[in-house]
DNA sequence: TCCTATGTTGTATG
DNA sequence: ACATACAACATAGG
């Protein structure tokens, strides 16, 4: 599930343990340790005090005493929570989902802290990854501001040469160097609000359409951050609520939504609203 | 059984 | 060289 707002929200779940010390690390070997050995992660973190939990784009960073950093990318199915919250960590859970606790067999990293908090990284498909370093890592220092941030370089993004290429605009929105944190559903959501079909070639957009797309990305990011995990849900008239279901209908016009693969990803759009 | 899945990367293709 | 397309990763659920 993790895109910008969810990653931010997940990273804050671990804030319950800020100030406490890591007394035990459970890190069973798995694909998420393809950059670091589980032993190295356990060695680096044991005895360290958790100081801060942060997120940039789709990456979460945890800072520990001794200037030790833990980086987690949540991939496709990664989630973060503390053990006591295990049963209700679904950000947009329907009734049925809320009651179903994730299987502990997919816990990839567990940090037991001195105050009793157990911080869990859970990831069935293991597309996520874990990194540790001493000192601020490059992947963190070089991460630019996300589209919800006032410092997001909107003018530079609008002028980027990618808009002269013929990649589908959907593929452009998924570029993390330009739109950090935007993933499949947020890209579709922004295109819906901008009135542009995901398969349109980037170079075929008018200047006004490009501006509308960029403004929509910013608006979707801000609204998602304001609602996800804060007791709210994305607005009822968003595509978000209908895009996963067969037979989903356009929230604005009621016409059937279209689903097709664009840029290698399943995309959902309303033919009545998007041109 | 077959298909799909909120992500990224390395490789293939033109 | 360049831009774009796509398979691969691994698992669960419909």
């Amino acid at each position: 599930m993790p895109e910008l707002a969810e990653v931010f929200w997940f990273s804050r779940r671990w804030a319950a343990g800020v100030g406490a010390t890591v007394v035990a690390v459970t890190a069973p070997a798995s694909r998420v340790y393809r950059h670091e050995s589980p032993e190295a992660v356990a060695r680096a973190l044991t005895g360290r005090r958790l100081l801060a939990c942060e997120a940039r784009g789709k990456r979460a960073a945890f800072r520990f005493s001794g200037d030790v950093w833990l980086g987690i990318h949540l991939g496709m199915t990664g989630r973060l929570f503390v053990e006591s919250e295990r049963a209700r960590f679904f950000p947009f859970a329907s009734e049925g989902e809320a009651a179903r606790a994730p299987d502990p067999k997919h816990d990839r990293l567990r940090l037991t802290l001195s105050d009793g908090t157990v911080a869990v990284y859970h990831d069935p498909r293991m597309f996520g990854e874990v990194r540790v370093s001493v000192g601020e890592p490059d992947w963190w220092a070089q991460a630019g501001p996300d589209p919800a941030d006032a410092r997001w370089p909107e003018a530079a993004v609008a002028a980027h040469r990618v808009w002269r290429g013929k990649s589908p605009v959907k593929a452009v929105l998924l570029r993390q160097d330009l739109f950090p944190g935007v993933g499949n559903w947020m890209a579709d959501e922004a295109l819906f609000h901008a009135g542009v079909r995901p398969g349109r070639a980037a170079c075929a957009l008018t200047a006004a359409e490009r501006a509308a797309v960029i403004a929509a990305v910013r608006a979707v990011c801000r609204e998602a951050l304001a609602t996800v995990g804060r007791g709210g849900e994305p607005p009822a008239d968003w595509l978000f609520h209908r895009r996963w279901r067969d037979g989903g209908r356009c929230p604005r016009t009621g016409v059937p939504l279209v689903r097709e693969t664009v840029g290698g990803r399943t995309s959902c759009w309303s033919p009545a609203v998007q041109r």
Side-chain angles (χ1 to χ4, degrees), chain A residues 20-21 44-45 47-51 63-69:
Chain A
T21 300
L45 298 179
R48 303 294 181 181
R49 201 157 73 96
L50 178 59
L51 300 178
R63 207 154 37 80
F64 293 82
S65 56
D67 204 19
V68 171
W69 292 65

Side-chain angles (χ1 to χ4, degrees), chain A residues 175-188:
Chain A
R175 284 182 55 141
Q176 297 301 292
D177 55 338
L178 299 177
F179 302 95
V182 171
N184 202 29
W185 78 255
M186 293 180 86
D188 280 355

Side-chain angles (χ1 to χ4, degrees), chain A residues 165-229:
Chain A
K166 55 183 183 165
S167 281
V169 60
K170 169 70 176 282
V172 171
L173 296 193
L174 292 175
R175 284 182 55 141
Q176 297 301 292
D177 55 338
L178 299 177
F179 302 95
V182 171
N184 202 29
W185 78 255
M186 293 180 86
D188 280 355
E189 194 70 53
L191 290 167
F192 173 68
H193 294 297
V196 174
R197 300 192 182 197
R200 290 273 298 283
C203 61
L205 267 61
T206 66
E209 284 174 328
R210 186 195 305 180
V213 167
I214 288 174
V217 170
R218 189 194 283 282
V220 165
C221 287
R222 287 191 172 162
E223 184 64 22
L225 282 168
T227 54
V228 174

Side-chain angles (χ1 to χ4, degrees), chain A residues 8 40 43 58 71 75 77 83 93 106 116-117 126 130 187 206 211 214 235:
Chain A
F8 177 85
R43 214 178 307 124
K58 291 178 183 170
T77 53
E83 185 67 45
H106 299 308
T117 299
M126 299 185 273
V130 172
T206 66
I214 288 174

Side-chain angles (χ1 to χ4, degrees), chain A residues 112-135:
Chain A
T112 302
L113 304 178
S114 55
D115 66 353
T117 299
V118 182
V120 181
Y121 161 41
H122 179 94
D123 190 353
R125 288 174 72 180
M126 299 185 273
F127 290 175
E129 59 189 37
V130 172
R131 294 171 184 272
V132 287
S133 64
V134 177

